[in-house]
Amino acid sequence: MLLKITNLNKSYPEAGQVLRDVNLTVSEGDVIAVIGPSGGGKTTLLRCMNFLETSDSGTMEFDGAVYDLTKAGKKEITSIRMRTAFVFQNYNLFLNKTALQNVTEGLVVARKIDKKTARKTAGKALADVGLADRLDYYPNQLSGGQQQRVAIARAVATNPEIIYFDEPTSALDPELTQEVLDAINALAKEGRTMIVVTHELEFAKKIATRIVFMDGGTVAAEASPEEFFDNPDNERVKQFLANIGNKQ
């Protein structure tokens, strides 16, 4: 076991309780696809796990160390973030920096890597996502799919133990979606540990080692992709898959 979330709860004044006693275990090499209806708590779960939101209750055990999700200190949060990476829906790139500079920035500033080594690492990460010819391009010179691949390269360059993906294709046109999915699929084949919140069900079925279905702020079901999609025994999952199928 690499990471374990226990009894995670989160509420907002305007939205009420968004997460209810969520438990999740992640082992090295897992690719966990988190799926479910909108408003089910998927993104909030990721944000709480990366301390972008403060939980109301819950603990995280990460590589043997236990953290209180309600009151982790700055030093603890920094320590965890140095070992994880987060890919956002909307890229979160520095608009005044090139693709190469966007990837090297965190390596030099946060991790104190020398600039020459950082540039070499960043260049390889960008080449790995098919952007070797776009190193000196600024975000406004790149398509949405290319920008998201820069964000993926930025995450991979830090060699994290876990990568969190928050609906990485939701801001993209359909024709640009596949290039991002291909980049994530390549990471899965490398054995990277990842948690991917996604609405792309065929993609989830293809890359995931485990499907986590969230509904109403809880983990309503958890199964292998084969069990989840081909032989579900949960009535809510059956309803969800039927509704998705009817919309296609």
Side-chain angles (χ1 to χ4, degrees):
M1 181 193 72
L2 178 59
L3 182 147
K4 184 177 181 180
I5 299 292
T6 304
N7 295 333
L8 172 56
N9 288 274
K10 175 64 180 176
S11 299
Y12 296 101
E14 68 279 6
Q17 191 163 5
V18 179
L19 296 176
R20 305 171 187 273
D21 292 323
V22 173
N23 298 291
L24 181 67
T25 300
V26 184
S27 297
E28 188 173 349
D30 276 350
V31 179
I32 298 175
V34 184
I35 67 175
S38 297
K42 304 182 296 296
T43 289
T44 303
L45 171 61
L46 281 198
R47 291 181 65 85
C48 286
M49 290 174 68
N50 203 45
F51 300 94
L52 295 168
E53 302 280 355
T54 301
S55 306
D56 298 335
S57 67
T59 60
M60 171 191 287
E61 183 178 344
F62 189 12
D63 198 20
V66 179
Y67 303 88
D68 186 334
L69 291 171
T70 68
K71 56 183 180 182
K74 185 176 180 180
K75 186 175 181 180
E76 291 177 310
I77 293 172
T78 299
S79 173
I80 292 170
R81 287 181 177 170
M82 291 287 280
R83 301 170 66 184
T84 62
F86 200 106
V87 178
F88 296 86
Q89 295 181 27
N90 294 310
Y91 329 136
N92 280 28
L93 301 180
F94 295 109
L95 300 182
N96 63 336
K97 296 184 183 297
T98 65
L100 186 65
Q101 290 169 337
N102 264 283
V103 180
T104 59
E105 182 78 7
L107 298 175
V108 173
V109 175
R111 296 170 187 270
K112 310 304 179 185
I113 296 173
D114 68 89
K115 290 183 179 180
K116 183 178 180 180
T117 302
R119 285 178 62 87
K120 183 177 180 180
T121 300
K124 182 182 184 306
L126 286 163
D128 286 346
V129 296
L131 294 175
D133 60 344
R134 294 291 189 272
L135 303 187
D136 296 324
Y137 283 56
Y138 289 89
N140 65 2
Q141 297 173 305
L142 300 171
S143 71
Q146 289 170 333
Q147 290 184 61
Q148 189 63 293
R149 282 188 282 155
V150 173
I152 292 171
R154 180 177 57 189
V156 171
T158 64
N159 196 28
E161 293 173 54
I162 301 176
I163 306 176
Y164 302 121
F165 291 88
D166 182 17
E167 298 190 20
T169 61
S170 65
L172 300 176
D173 295 331
E175 64 181 339
L176 299 177
T177 294
Q178 191 58 48
E179 64 191 57
V180 173
L181 297 181
D182 288 344
I184 299 172
N185 187 38
L187 296 178
K189 289 180 178 179
E190 290 177 10
R192 297 270 185 177
T193 306
M194 302 187 290
I195 302 176
V196 186
V197 170
T198 183
H199 288 294
E200 303 283 345
L201 298 191
E202 286 300 319
F203 174 67
K205 184 176 182 179
K206 179 180 178 181
I207 71 160
T209 58
R210 194 158 88 250
I211 303 293
V212 169
F213 178 72
M214 291 195 67
D215 184 40
T218 66
V219 176
E222 191 170 349
S224 70
E226 294 76 18
E227 292 170 330
F228 185 89
F229 289 104
D230 299 332
N231 191 31
D233 59 4
N234 181 293
E235 289 303 317
R236 180 64 186 97
V237 171
K238 291 179 182 178
Q239 180 187 40
F240 173 77
L241 294 176
N243 287 341
I244 294 295
N246 290 336
K247 292 177 182 178
Q248 293 179 343

